[in-house]
Amino acid sequence: MVSLPEELQAREAAARQRVEELQAEAAELAVRLERARVDLSRLEITRETVAQVLAELSAAQAAPEVEAADGPEPKEAPAPHGIGVMAVPPWREGLVVQVLPDVYRDIVEIVADAPGPLQAKQIVPRIGLEATTAKIEGTRGKLKRLVERGWLDEDAPGRFTLARHDGDAGRVNSR
């Protein structure tokens, strides 16, 4: 018959071994996750670069037509669609939030309605997503893109506010 202390030692050794095995699996998964994140980042950058190049080429080809037009310039730019157009265009005078894809428009409107700077984790539930790490990181990427394109400002790291432009009163809420 096995004594109680011996049985406890045997169970402790088995539990310790299982913990070590799980730690090794977790370390392997962490490495695989980082590789997948790097791959995703590269693909996102590639897609954005291609979209930007195509948009610039399209704009360069359309420029002579715009210069030849004899009408007043529209106050609101139409929503971009089609191949070769940036999903999130850089902000410029006269551009309204409705040109943005739905999720980006929702983010800008939420930030605009907030009394102060917001973090990605505060925005995620307000756009109807579950507050998981993946959703927060995806939203953070969208926020950073909106900052890069001039729609939002990042006053402090990870804290986003509506970008201030001269004469942009009513820009977000004009529908």
Side-chain angles (χ1 to χ4, degrees), residues 7 53 65 72 107 120 137 149:
E7 179 63 21
V53 168
E65 296 172 17
I107 290 170
E137 291 304 316
R149 307 278 165 82

Side-chain angles (χ1 to χ4, degrees), residues 117-156:
L118 291 176
Q119 295 177 306
K121 66 182 177 182
Q122 296 170 303
I123 294 171
V124 168
R126 295 178 186 181
I127 58 175
L129 298 175
E130 187 177 343
T132 63
T133 302
K135 300 298 181 189
I136 292 169
E137 291 304 316
T139 301
R140 183 173 287 116
K142 289 174 177 64
L143 287 161
K144 295 284 190 177
R145 186 168 298 117
L146 287 165
V147 169
E148 289 171 6
R149 307 278 165 82
W151 292 91
L152 298 178
D153 285 331
E154 189 173 9
D155 294 339

Side-chain angles (χ1 to χ4, degrees), residues 7 9 21 26 29 32-33 35 41 43 74 80 82 86 110 116 119-120 136 140 145 154 170 173:
E7 179 63 21
Q9 282 181 331
E21 290 170 358
L29 284 174
R32 289 175 49 201
L33 176 62
R35 284 187 200 138
S41 176
L43 289 168
M86 276 188 191
I110 287 166
Q119 295 177 306
I136 292 169
R140 183 173 287 116
R145 186 168 298 117
E154 189 173 9
N173 293 322

Side-chain angles (χ1 to χ4, degrees), residues 9-160:
Q9 282 181 331
R11 289 184 182 198
E12 181 181 345
R16 183 173 286 114
Q17 181 178 356
R18 182 67 181 140
V19 166
E20 290 171 359
E21 290 170 358
L22 290 172
Q23 285 176 331
E25 286 179 36
E28 181 183 339
L29 284 174
V31 169
R32 289 175 49 201
L33 176 62
E34 186 56 31
R35 284 187 200 138
R37 283 184 175 155
V38 168
D39 289 344
L40 175 61
S41 176
R42 287 180 180 162
L43 289 168
E44 287 174 337
I45 291 168
T46 301
R47 179 185 42 77
E48 289 173 5
T49 303
V50 168
Q52 183 177 6
V53 168
L54 290 174
E56 289 170 1
L57 289 174
S58 177
Q61 291 173 352
E65 296 172 17
V66 171
E67 292 172 7
D70 286 53
E73 291 187 27
K75 292 291 181 189
E76 294 184 10
H81 53 79
I83 298 175
V85 177
M86 276 188 191
V88 180
W91 182 90
R92 63 182 182 277
E93 189 68 37
L95 201 59
V96 294
V97 73
Q98 283 70 31
V99 303
L100 297 173
D102 292 343
V103 69
Y104 287 92
R105 182 175 51 241
D106 292 345
I107 290 170
V108 171
E109 289 174 350
I110 287 166
V111 171
D113 292 341
L118 291 176
Q119 295 177 306
K121 66 182 177 182
Q122 296 170 303
I123 294 171
V124 168
R126 295 178 186 181
I127 58 175
L129 298 175
E130 187 177 343
T132 63
T133 302
K135 300 298 181 189
I136 292 169
E137 291 304 316
T139 301
R140 183 173 287 116
K142 289 174 177 64
L143 287 161
K144 295 284 190 177
R145 186 168 298 117
L146 287 165
V147 169
E148 289 171 6
R149 307 278 165 82
W151 292 91
L152 298 178
D153 285 331
E154 189 173 9
D155 294 339
R159 301 188 60 80
F160 300 90

